[in-house]
Amino acid sequence: MTERPVALPPSRPRGPDAGALGWLRANLFNSWGNTLLTVLILWGLAVILPPLVRWGFLDSVMSGDAAACRAADGACWAFIHEKLLFILFGTYPHDQLWRPGLVVLVFIVLLTVSCDRRLWRHWLAPLWLVGLGGMGVLMAGGVLGLPAVEDSLWGGLPLTLGLATVGLVVAFPISILLALGRRSTLPLVRGLSVAWIELIRGVPLISLLFMASVMLPLFLPTGVTIDKLLRAQVAFILFASAYLAEVIRGGLQAIPKGQGEAADALGLGYWQKMVAIILPQALSLVIPPLVNTFIGLFKDTSLVLVIGLFDLLRTAKSSLSDPFWHGFYREAYVFIGIIYFSFCFFFARYSRWLEANIKHSQKPL
Amino acid sequence: MVGSQHQAQPEASMIDQDAPIIRIEALHKWYGECHVLRGIDLDVGRGERIVICGPSGSGKSTLIRCLNRLEEHQQGRIVVDGTELTNNIRHIDAVRREIGMVFQHFNLFPHLTVLENCVLAPIRVRRQPLAEAQATARTLLERVRIADFADRYPSQLSGGQQQRVAIARALAMKPKVMLFDEPTSALDPEMVNEVLEVMIGLARDGMTMLVVTHEMGFAKSVADRVLFMDQGEIIERAAPTDFFTHPQSERTKLFLSQILNHTIGP
Ligand SMILES: Nc1ncnc2c1ncn2[C@@H]1O[C@H](COP(=O)(O)OP(=O)(O)OP(=O)(O)O)[C@@H](O)[C@H]1O
Ligand SMILES: [Mg+2]
């Protein structure tokens, strides 16, 4: 080793003169293996991208009728343009479409506003309860001079968002109770929680939905009926609660025993201990798997189409049955794919930001 | 320092004055098959400072954890300030309000600041108003010389500082008795003294203390009595001077020789 300054090796460039070439060499071609991988990936992109761009953009038809679309080689976005309102809002009465539109807007605003942690302490729960209630009234109508719209006519994005949000908002507290119950020292509470979680986790959502639509009426007195949407919602809540409970239990298990003992020794009661000490720590530990489960459940709402509800997937499918616009499957599925993706991607980014934010401030939920 | 300073406490009634604040009678505890406490009898007077020592696994932690029901006993009686510990939740809560505990690993709440750690229980359990609880907490943090760190999180403090916060947190509930379970054994050597000093100060102020520790210097300077435990029994109980100069049982002698050699050795 000599004392004189040694020139930096080219593989670790620094400063403004490193340039694009340096970056490429350091990140893409820094070993034989990586060079091979880079070349393979570039080749793959070269095969896939050009036809995709040609189909989606260059050769696509943005507006026009079905005939224009059939004449072209590319995607028929004119189809989406034509069917947009039906895909987004289903069979909701045409002259009332501003209502589901407003619902989606309010929903997105609520979602954005909820990202601010300063609101969490006091405002979040009432905000959502009022918001969801308001959206329900807006959809159903029958008051304030709004014409009533039966919920069998609801469909599309509001239905999907509603099912998912109401489902998660209701299932989340239930799942906390289930997770606590499963770790309870009371045998009856523990037994019931385990039974609930395992029974529901052991059954596919699709069969829960079928069961809810055929079995729930058995438990009701004759003459009383619950509508299809509510039954699906109940099934979805049951399903979500079991999965979320297991995620939360994982967080509870990761909290050192000393935390609970310190709370006990200070004289805190069981619920005080859980609410002030254990749950805040446990929940912030499981944000990534929790968000993962949220995203999974959000997409699982698309299964309600099997019992005849018009969620986003079903409206997209139905829009294809128009004899004038027959056969534009790809466009329809790409379109709703983009919608699902946008929501899920938002969730995922937000959860990463939240995690970093909590780690930074060291103050969990 | 040694000697009885059992000053009358003005708020206690006359009848209670001489009654022990903690009475343990024929206490037995099993973990499954394992018989961990085998007939413990102990009276703790008001203002008394007791140091408990003994080899690892002898049941020291188990004994003091029984006093605030972190562990359940199977036989015998524990009465704290007139309340017997049974399965009755109200009794357990009443006893826990009067007994503060300091743990080997501090067990501070990592998601709360130092100040929040100290006001949580007074607000939620004692129903103190926030301002009052904060004022008390700040005074206590002052007393353990950590007031400057009130708004930090526990992870930003050293071990010795964390343990001092833990002491302040327990004191904030204004307990009548303080339990310490090896409060300095998880600390780096240079931090042991800052914690011991706080405990000595507490002892001088007349707090009733049960301290599990192997810090024999602490025992000599503040304890009224030293108990030696082995295999779930109290083998020896004596004033510190007698305990260290004339241990009665062979097991105590052996233990002391190990401890003292270790302390004096390089
Ligand atoms: N939760 C438990 N389950 C089963 N056995 C236990 C449990 N806790 C402690 N024990 C046993 O009880 C006995 C007494 O343990 P205790 O922790 O009271 O000892 P100790 O004197 O505090 O020892 P140390 O100095 O190592 O802290 C030991 O033999 C230990 O193995
Ligand atoms: Mg111990």
Side-chain angles (χ1 to χ4, degrees):
Chain A
M1 288 294 153
T2 54
E3 296 277 309
R4 75 195 155 82
V6 182
L8 282 170
S11 60
R12 291 187 54 205
R14 225 170 42 188
D17 50 11
L21 214 62
W23 185 90
L24 282 177
R25 211 179 288 170
N27 291 290
L28 297 179
F29 302 101
N30 54 359
S31 75
W32 273 111
N34 285 356
T35 305
L36 192 67
L37 210 61
T38 303
V39 170
L40 272 177
I41 291 171
L42 287 178
W43 177 77
L45 288 179
V47 171
I48 295 168
L49 274 187
L52 207 61
V53 171
R54 231 177 293 132
W55 178 79
F57 299 97
L58 302 182
D59 296 348
S60 69
V61 180
M62 283 304 185
S63 59
D65 57 8
C69 276
R70 285 185 221 290
D73 289 335
C76 176
W77 300 126
F79 166 72
I80 300 296
H81 195 237
E82 173 75 17
K83 295 290 181 190
L84 184 66
L85 289 179
F86 181 77
I87 294 177
L88 287 182
F89 303 122
T91 46
Y92 208 85
H94 248 269
D95 54 336
Q96 298 291 320
L97 278 185
W98 63 272
R99 282 156 61 179
L102 190 60
V103 162
V104 170
L105 202 69
V106 169
F107 186 89
I108 290 172
V109 168
L110 267 182
L111 207 62
T112 318
V113 166
S114 312
C115 292
D116 188 344
R117 280 176 63 205
R118 279 169 302 180
L119 285 176
W120 287 15
R121 212 161 255 276
H122 303 293
W123 289 107
L124 197 62
L127 200 67
W128 274 97
L129 288 181
V130 170
L132 288 174
M135 288 191 257
V137 168
L138 203 55
M139 287 297 281
V143 286
L144 303 172
L146 294 172
V149 177
E150 238 182 278
D151 64 11
S152 55
L153 296 177
W154 301 5
L157 195 53
L159 187 84
T160 291
L161 291 177
L163 265 177
T165 330
V166 173
L168 293 177
V169 166
V170 177
F172 192 62
I174 296 179
S175 70
I176 289 178
L177 294 180
L178 283 174
L180 292 176
R182 193 164 184 167
R183 289 166 56 82
S184 164
T185 49
L186 307 172
L188 189 67
V189 173
R190 192 174 56 236
L192 281 176
S193 308
V194 171
W196 175 316
I197 292 171
E198 295 305 340
L199 271 179
I200 288 174
R201 239 177 11 149
V203 174
L205 175 56
I206 214 167
S207 55
L208 267 185
L209 288 169
F210 279 131
M211 276 197 273
S213 59
V214 296
M215 297 216 356
L216 218 51
L218 293 183
F219 299 110
L220 295 171
T222 41
V224 178
T225 53
I226 335 180
D227 68 54
K228 217 186 320 185
L229 180 59
L230 196 59
R231 277 178 281 172
Q233 185 71 80
V234 169
F236 186 70
I237 288 170
L238 292 179
F239 185 74
S241 68
Y243 274 86
L244 293 173
E246 283 301 279
V247 172
I248 293 169
R249 186 167 70 101
L252 292 175
Q253 257 160 356
I255 304 301
K257 232 174 104 208
Q259 291 292 307
E261 289 179 350
D264 286 340
L266 284 168
L268 294 171
Y270 177 82
W271 290 110
Q272 291 175 324
K273 169 172 79 175
M274 288 306 160
V275 169
I277 307 298
I278 308 293
L279 282 172
Q281 296 185 56
L283 291 180
S284 59
L285 268 182
V286 294
I287 288 175
L290 214 51
V291 171
N292 191 36
T293 313
F294 278 170
I295 289 177
L297 290 168
F298 173 64
K299 290 178 298 184
D300 283 347
T301 54
S302 55
L303 285 173
V304 297
L305 71 88
V306 300
I307 59 168
L309 290 177
F310 276 80
D311 79 311
L312 196 55
L313 187 61
R314 175 83 183 274
T315 53
K317 261 173 87 86
S318 314
S319 68
L320 293 166
S321 57
D322 184 338
F324 291 111
W325 295 90
H326 204 65
F328 296 108
Y329 303 100
R330 283 180 289 203
E331 291 79 356
Y333 292 132
V334 165
F335 178 65
I336 60 162
I338 290 171
I339 295 181
Y340 274 113
F341 176 81
S342 318
F343 279 99
C344 294
F345 187 68
F346 169 82
F347 274 142
R349 294 307 304 202
Y350 177 61
S351 92
R352 279 188 53 185
W353 174 84
L354 191 61
E355 245 180 295
N357 185 264
I358 283 173
K359 208 173 282 167
H360 175 71
S361 74
Q362 304 200 327
K363 189 177 169 80
L365 321 177
Chain B
M1 249 96 305
V2 189
S4 46
Q5 299 177 348
H6 303 171
Q7 300 298 314
Q9 294 183 345
E11 74 275 18
S13 75
M14 287 312 287
I15 312 147
D16 280 337
Q17 279 313 297
D18 301 325
I21 190 158
I22 296 177
R23 163 158 279 176
I24 305 170
E25 289 171 2
L27 185 71
H28 287 266
K29 158 118 193 123
W30 285 265
Y31 281 117
E33 292 291 289
C34 190
H35 198 171
V36 217
L37 295 180
R38 305 161 179 256
I40 305 279
D41 288 288
L42 178 67
D43 280 355
V44 181
R46 285 171 198 278
E48 196 177 14
R49 279 89 53 163
I50 294 182
V51 163
I52 305 170
C53 59
S56 182
S58 55
K60 309 177 297 288
S61 300
T62 310
L63 174 61
I64 67 166
R65 288 160 60 86
C66 280
L67 297 183
N68 61 356
R69 199 59 164 204
L70 290 185
E71 304 290 348
E72 196 177 327
H73 60 276
Q74 280 84 36
Q75 242 179 56
R77 269 158 54 88
I78 300 176
V79 183
V80 179
D81 204 22
T83 311
E84 177 168 0
L85 275 174
T86 59
N87 281 327
N88 187 328
I89 304 240
R90 291 242 232 87
H91 289 190
I92 296 175
D93 285 345
V95 167
R96 282 177 176 167
R97 277 196 293 272
E98 305 309 330
I99 297 189
M101 187 163 197
V102 174
F103 299 86
Q104 182 175 5
H105 296 287
F106 331 135
N107 297 354
L108 292 178
F109 305 130
H111 60 302
L112 302 177
T113 63
V114 165
L115 192 67
E116 288 166 343
N117 263 278
C118 294
V119 298
L120 181 82
I123 290 174
R124 302 213 178 205
V125 181
R126 292 244 190 253
R127 305 268 165 228
Q128 278 181 19
L130 177 68
E132 183 190 331
Q134 281 181 339
T136 316
R138 285 194 192 278
T139 316
L140 286 168
L141 290 173
E142 200 85 48
R143 183 161 156 198
V144 300
R145 291 190 302 280
I146 203 133
D148 293 344
F149 300 128
D151 296 320
R152 293 217 192 164
Y153 286 91
S155 60
Q156 298 167 311
L157 303 182
S158 75
Q161 292 168 334
Q162 290 191 46
Q163 192 61 297
R164 285 184 278 147
V165 172
I167 294 175
R169 177 178 71 176
L171 290 176
M173 283 292 285
K174 304 201 170 76
K176 293 182 177 155
V177 181
M178 285 283 284
L179 309 175
F180 294 82
D181 190 1
E182 308 207 28
T184 56
S185 57
L187 297 177
D188 290 340
E190 72 270 20
M191 298 175 184
V192 169
N193 273 337
E194 62 188 50
V195 172
L196 287 181
E197 275 165 26
V198 167
M199 292 169 61
I200 291 171
L202 205 55
R204 298 244 163 89
D205 293 344
M207 176 63 78
T208 310
M209 296 164 73
L210 277 90
V211 185
V212 176
T213 184
H214 293 162
E215 292 292 334
M216 291 305 143
F218 174 80
K220 279 176 190 163
S221 69
V222 303
D224 298 317
R225 274 196 288 170
V226 180
L227 310 184
F228 177 74
M229 283 186 74
D230 194 15
Q231 298 181 353
E233 289 173 294
I234 300 179
I235 306 287
E236 193 149 347
R237 48 184 97 195
T241 37
D242 297 331
F243 184 83
F244 291 111
T245 48
H246 311 294
Q248 300 296 307
S249 87
E250 288 305 315
R251 280 189 270 178
T252 317
K253 285 176 193 164
L254 180 66
F255 175 76
L256 281 177
S257 72
Q258 285 166 347
I259 284 278
L260 296 176
N261 282 343
H262 174 76
T263 319
I264 296 163

Coordinates of all heavy atoms in Angstrom, one line a residue, chain B residues 57 60-62 104 181-182 212, ligand 2:
Chain B
G57 N -31.8 -19.1 39.5 CA -32.8 -20.1 39.5 C -33.3 -20.4 40.9 O -34.1 -21.3 41.1
K60 N -35.8 -15.9 43.2 CA -35.9 -14.5 43.6 C -36.9 -13.7 42.7 O -37.8 -13.1 43.3 CB -34.5 -13.8 43.5 CG -33.4 -14.6 44.1 CD -32.0 -13.9 43.9 CE -31.6 -13.9 42.5 NZ -31.2 -15.1 41.8
S61 N -36.7 -13.8 41.4 CA -37.7 -13.1 40.5 C -39.1 -13.6 40.8 O -40.0 -12.8 40.9 CB -37.3 -13.3 39.1 OG -36.0 -12.9 38.8
T62 N -39.2 -14.9 40.8 CA -40.6 -15.5 41.0 C -41.2 -14.9 42.3 O -42.4 -14.5 42.2 CB -40.5 -17.0 41.1 OG1 -39.7 -17.5 40.0 CG2 -41.9 -17.6 41.0
Q104 N -35.4 -5.9 34.9 CA -34.0 -6.0 34.5 C -33.8 -5.3 33.1 O -32.8 -4.6 32.9 CB -33.6 -7.5 34.4 CG -32.2 -7.8 34.0 CD -31.9 -9.2 34.1 OE1 -32.7 -10.1 34.3 NE2 -30.6 -9.6 33.9
D181 N -36.1 -5.9 40.1 CA -35.6 -7.2 39.8 C -34.3 -7.1 39.0 O -34.3 -6.8 37.8 CB -36.6 -8.0 39.0 CG -36.2 -9.4 38.8 OD1 -35.2 -9.8 39.3 OD2 -37.0 -10.2 38.1
E182 N -33.2 -7.2 39.7 CA -31.9 -7.0 39.1 C -31.8 -5.8 38.2 O -31.5 -5.9 37.0 CB -31.5 -8.3 38.3 CG -31.7 -9.6 39.1 CD -30.8 -10.7 38.7 OE1 -29.7 -10.4 38.2 OE2 -31.1 -11.8 38.9
V212 N -34.0 -7.2 44.3 CA -33.2 -8.4 44.0 C -31.9 -7.9 43.3 O -32.0 -7.2 42.2 CB -33.9 -9.3 43.0 CG1 -33.0 -10.5 42.6 CG2 -35.2 -9.8 43.6
Ligands
MG2 MG -34.4 -13.4 38.1

